[in-house]
């Protein structure tokens, strides 16, 4: 088993995700706000996936010791810099998560639930308990719980697989044309969100995709069991994303029927 076999297995789910009705459902600024109010939790928990990989694949302890693979080390640290310490449209340093929140605030989306969540977990409350305290879709809560179940299991090949195949790579390109159309009618309020999408594509660049596949080759290392486990969690990650989008469609449809 190898990377090609994994990609063949997840291809039907990727196709289902690409064809999801959420991309046609988000046609107004109010529907976009509803989308961001759920999706922001996926933007947040992506950073925990990334930080988990950084802990496993680079040295974040004292005394420092060089880790095994130089290329993987650089790849992970580059992504951390890009995601955690990027520049917004005005040149201010902030994470992509903070950039996303800024974009939500610019368009008038509700950031209170994410703010409540961050405040609760800062008090060392377990993730599942903090999610229960937030008024968000059950599909969003399930999505974050799944992410942390993979992190807590501690299998590097599973974390890398969810990171590589189950996360943000599809979203910017799918939404950028839609947001450009919305921006024509709501220019001032959507500038920050459009910048976030464009910046996400720019920072990812052409290198991160091939490097993430090399990362999978390294962490699975010809082990058939690891490849199978990596494939299974990639499939589950895509299913969780589809369910996340199902919840967004339901939430947006209530706006249309209100």
């Amino acid at each position: 088993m190898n990377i090609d076999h994994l990609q063949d297995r997840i291809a039907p789910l990727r196709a289902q995700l690409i064809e999801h009705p959420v991309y046609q459902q988000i046609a107004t600024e109010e529907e976009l706000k509803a989308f961001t109010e759920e999706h922001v939790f996926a933007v947040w928990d992506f950073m925990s996936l990334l930080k988990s990989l950084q802990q496993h694949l680079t040295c974040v302890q004292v005394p420092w010791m060089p880790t095994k693979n130089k290329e993987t080390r650089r790849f992970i640290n580059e992504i951390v810099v890009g995601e955690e310490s990027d520049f917004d449209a005005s040149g201010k340093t902030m994470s992509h998560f903070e950039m996303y929140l800024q974009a939500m605030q610019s368009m008038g989306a509700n950031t209170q639930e994410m703010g409540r969540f961050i405040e609760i977990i800062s008090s060392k409350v377990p993730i599942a308990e903090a999610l229960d305290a937030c008024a968000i879709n059950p599909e969003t809560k399930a999505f974050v719980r799944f992410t942390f179940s993979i992190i807590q299991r501690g299998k590097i090949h599973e974390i890398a697989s969810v990171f590589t195949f189950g996360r943000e790579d599809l979203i910017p390109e799918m939404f950028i044309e839609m947001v450009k159309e919305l921006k024509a009618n709501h220019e001032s309020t959507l500038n920050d969100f459009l910048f976030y999408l464009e910046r996400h594509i720019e920072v990812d660049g052409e290198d991160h995709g091939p490097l993430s596949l090399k990362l999978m080759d390294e962490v699975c290392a010809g082990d058939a069991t690891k490849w199978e486990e990596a494939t299974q969690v990639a499939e589950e990650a895509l299913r969780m994303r589809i369910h996340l989008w199902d919840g967004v469609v339901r939430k947006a449809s209530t706006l249309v029927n209100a």
Side-chain angles (χ1 to χ4, degrees):
M1 192 169 180
N2 55 30
I3 196 75
D4 293 332
H5 187 268
L6 186 157
Q7 289 177 310
D8 287 343
R9 280 263 298 272
I10 68 173
L13 285 167
R14 282 181 63 87
Q16 187 178 344
L17 186 58
I18 291 169
E19 296 164 5
H20 198 282
V22 71
Y23 309 111
Q24 286 73 49
Q25 179 75 39
I26 310 302
T28 68
E29 188 174 7
E30 289 304 310
E31 289 165 345
L32 181 61
K33 290 177 188 178
F35 166 81
T36 62
E37 289 161 7
E38 304 297 327
H39 179 236
V40 67
F41 283 83
V43 176
W44 173 81
D45 81 349
F46 171 79
M47 283 304 303
S48 291
L49 272 176
L50 177 57
K51 284 296 185 175
S52 181
L53 286 176
Q54 188 181 33
Q55 289 174 351
H56 283 294
L57 298 171
T58 76
C59 184
V60 292
Q61 299 174 340
V62 176
W64 177 86
M65 295 290 289
T67 51
K68 181 179 177 181
N69 190 293
K70 301 178 184 68
E71 288 187 14
T72 300
R73 185 197 312 158
R74 181 178 180 85
F75 170 52
I76 294 299
N77 284 331
E78 279 184 354
I79 295 179
V80 169
V81 171
E83 292 286 343
E84 193 173 37
S85 304
D86 202 3
F87 299 102
D88 72 356
S90 62
K92 294 180 181 178
T93 303
M94 65 177 63
S95 67
H96 281 192
F97 167 71
E98 292 164 315
M99 204 179 292
Y100 197 97
L101 283 177
Q102 178 175 269
M104 289 178 67
Q105 291 163 351
S106 294
M107 71 173 80
N110 181 4
T111 62
Q112 290 182 356
E113 295 309 314
M114 174 50 74
R116 186 199 317 278
F117 178 73
I118 294 293
E119 182 178 353
I120 293 171
I121 62 172
S122 68
S123 301
K124 309 300 182 183
V125 172
I127 295 295
E129 188 176 332
L131 288 167
D132 286 338
C134 296
I136 54 176
N137 286 345
E139 295 89 348
T140 305
K141 296 178 182 180
F143 185 93
V144 177
R145 288 192 181 105
F146 168 74
T147 298
F148 276 85
S149 73
I150 299 302
I151 291 171
Q152 291 162 3
R153 206 146 64 198
K155 295 184 177 182
I156 302 174
H157 56 285
E158 290 186 342
I159 299 168
S161 184
V162 173
F163 177 85
T164 300
F165 301 108
R167 299 307 305 215
E168 308 301 307
D169 58 321
L170 294 173
I171 294 168
E173 292 183 13
M174 286 182 172
F175 275 91
I176 197 146
E177 291 304 321
M178 177 206 71
V179 175
K180 282 181 178 177
E181 290 183 18
L182 287 174
K183 182 175 178 288
N185 298 318
H186 308 278
E187 182 170 357
S188 61
T189 60
L190 295 186
N191 278 345
D192 286 342
F193 193 69
L194 185 60
F195 177 85
Y196 167 84
L197 293 175
E198 291 173 335
R199 185 62 179 155
H200 210 86
I201 293 171
E202 180 183 352
V203 169
D204 283 349
E206 297 180 357
D207 294 334
H208 288 180
L211 282 171
S212 64
L213 298 181
K214 288 182 67 176
L215 168 64
M216 289 304 304
D217 280 328
E218 178 186 336
V219 297
C220 290
D223 186 318
T225 299
K226 289 182 177 180
W227 276 116
E228 178 58 29
E229 290 178 346
T231 301
Q232 289 178 7
V233 298
E235 290 174 323
E236 186 62 17
L238 290 171
R239 290 190 191 98
M240 297 306 295
R241 174 73 70 178
I242 290 166
H243 292 324
L244 178 68
W245 281 179
D246 290 343
V248 170
V249 168
R250 188 186 67 253
K251 183 174 181 176
S253 67
T254 63
L255 298 174
V256 175
N257 297 323

